[in-house]
Amino acid sequence: MEFDLSWLLLGLPLAFGLGWLASRFDLRQLRDENRRAPKAYFKGLNYLLNEQQDQAIDAFIEAVQNDPDTTELHFALGNLFRRRGEYNRAVRVHEHLLSRGDLSRADRERAQHALALDFLKAGLLDRAEDALRRLEGSPFEAQARMALLAIYERSRDWPQATEIAQRMQAAQQGDFSTRQAHYLCEQALAQAARGETAAAQALLAQAIAIAPRAPRARIELARLQQRTGDAAAALHTLLELPQAAPAALPLAAPLLVETAQATGSAEQALALLQAHYQDMPSLDLLDAIVALETGGSTPQDARGWYVRHLEKEPSLVAATKWLAGETLAHEQFHPQIQRALEQAAKPLTRYRCAACGFEARQHFWQCPGCQTWDSYPARRVEEL
């Protein structure tokens, strides 16, 4: 059978035309798909900028469905879920990312960090701890260690917190010696409560060696020594405090008065308090001086001290204490006036956290509000 060349000449243009149409169809489809994904992404971004988080999430979900391999969209979606408090959905997004075999190492570490944040925000501390431990050796290592430290402090796991603090200090991520001293003090207080006095004193001595300038360990040691009947040792410990941390002496002033009176060393303690009061007037130092000078007698004997303090700086607290020992022209109204002044002065005798402003009647080494260490000055609100 003879081959007709005319059919070949007719077929070539036809094949070329079909191929061209097919290519145009594929290109149009690809272009449409590429248009849809960015459109949804930018729509979600616009919603986010306008603080319309519900609409933003819907737009990002649409974008992820159109292009499930886009990791950035997954991260954006997961962060949105976490910000809205939908931690379960955030966890699913980040776990889906981690399950992908084609994820780069950088994105995998980023997803692991995001997952740890999800667990932290959700309060799942055990799962957060495991996720954070997996970030060792990654660019998120420093952040992970800080988060682990917060977890162990929150759960009062002081040995684990000490381990993390030591590793961070060894990696030159900051000076954590004072914080380690606090951990030892916390453990010492727990042992003292169980009656293990010798072990508690050993821990406090270790805390002083680790952070010689930190005042807490010396004050806690003196308090423990006084409680066990060794007033002389307690006084010796307190007399070392002004050289190590002079600003903390007002916190130890009442205990110093007690130990000085118990050991017959009132004159030595009084000289120390007066010297520091001249450099840094303080209500607590003033009360301690009055207690030692007057021997705990009537308030009338102390009013001269409060007048001298008022000459140095205005103080409603000092004025209230001075008025308590005075005789008024209308003495029948004295109790009502005294009560009113004491009520007005009461908030001024509190301590205030320098980090978050939380106020408390007693001094805290770690703020109950923001969990910051050493954020309470050793001075009352009125003196700040």
Side-chain angles (χ1 to χ4, degrees), residues 202-245:
L203 286 175
L204 291 171
Q206 186 181 347
I208 294 173
I210 289 176
R213 297 287 179 184
R216 182 186 182 183
R218 296 180 191 274
I219 295 175
E220 297 291 2
L221 178 60
R223 188 173 288 120
L224 183 59
Q225 290 167 335
Q226 173 72 1
R227 197 182 306 137
T228 55
D230 196 350
L235 178 64
H236 177 73
T237 301
L238 291 176
L239 291 177
E240 293 177 342
L241 181 63
Q243 287 79 29

Side-chain angles (χ1 to χ4, degrees), residues 77-270:
L77 191 58
N79 291 339
L80 272 176
F81 283 141
R82 190 193 312 127
R83 285 177 57 185
R84 283 177 52 83
E86 299 181 50
Y87 304 121
N88 290 336
R89 300 179 75 180
V91 166
R92 285 201 299 271
V93 170
H94 294 130
E95 285 182 338
H96 170 70
L97 277 174
L98 288 171
S99 67
R100 285 174 47 178
D102 62 338
L103 204 64
S104 66
R105 179 176 178 180
D107 282 340
R108 186 170 298 278
E109 291 167 343
R110 184 180 170 191
Q112 185 67 43
H113 180 246
L115 182 63
L117 292 180
D118 297 338
F119 290 142
L120 274 176
K121 291 290 186 179
L124 303 173
L125 300 186
D126 53 342
R127 300 183 69 180
E129 178 186 357
D130 180 64
L132 290 167
R133 289 279 186 181
R134 295 173 185 268
L135 290 169
E136 284 290 328
S138 74
F140 300 97
E141 181 181 69
Q143 300 174 47
R145 286 176 176 173
M146 282 301 299
L148 281 171
L149 200 61
I151 289 174
Y152 294 138
E153 288 181 358
R154 183 174 171 182
S155 59
R156 305 186 69 80
D157 190 342
W158 306 120
Q160 289 273 37
T162 300
E163 177 203 346
I164 295 295
Q166 289 173 344
R167 289 163 66 182
M168 294 179 74
Q169 183 144 349
Q172 298 183 345
Q173 292 177 225
D175 184 6
F176 291 86
S177 56
T178 302
R179 193 171 288 198
Q180 291 181 60
H182 279 302
Y183 300 158
L184 290 169
C185 289
E186 293 289 344
Q187 294 176 76
L189 291 177
Q191 289 187 336
R194 295 194 296 267
E196 302 171 9
T197 306
Q201 289 186 357
L203 286 175
L204 291 171
Q206 186 181 347
I208 294 173
I210 289 176
R213 297 287 179 184
R216 182 186 182 183
R218 296 180 191 274
I219 295 175
E220 297 291 2
L221 178 60
R223 188 173 288 120
L224 183 59
Q225 290 167 335
Q226 173 72 1
R227 197 182 306 137
T228 55
D230 196 350
L235 178 64
H236 177 73
T237 301
L238 291 176
L239 291 177
E240 293 177 342
L241 181 63
Q243 287 79 29
L249 186 58
L251 298 176
L255 183 59
L256 180 61
V257 171
E258 186 179 344
T259 55
Q261 290 174 338
T263 58
S265 305
E267 291 185 4
Q268 182 183 8
L270 181 61

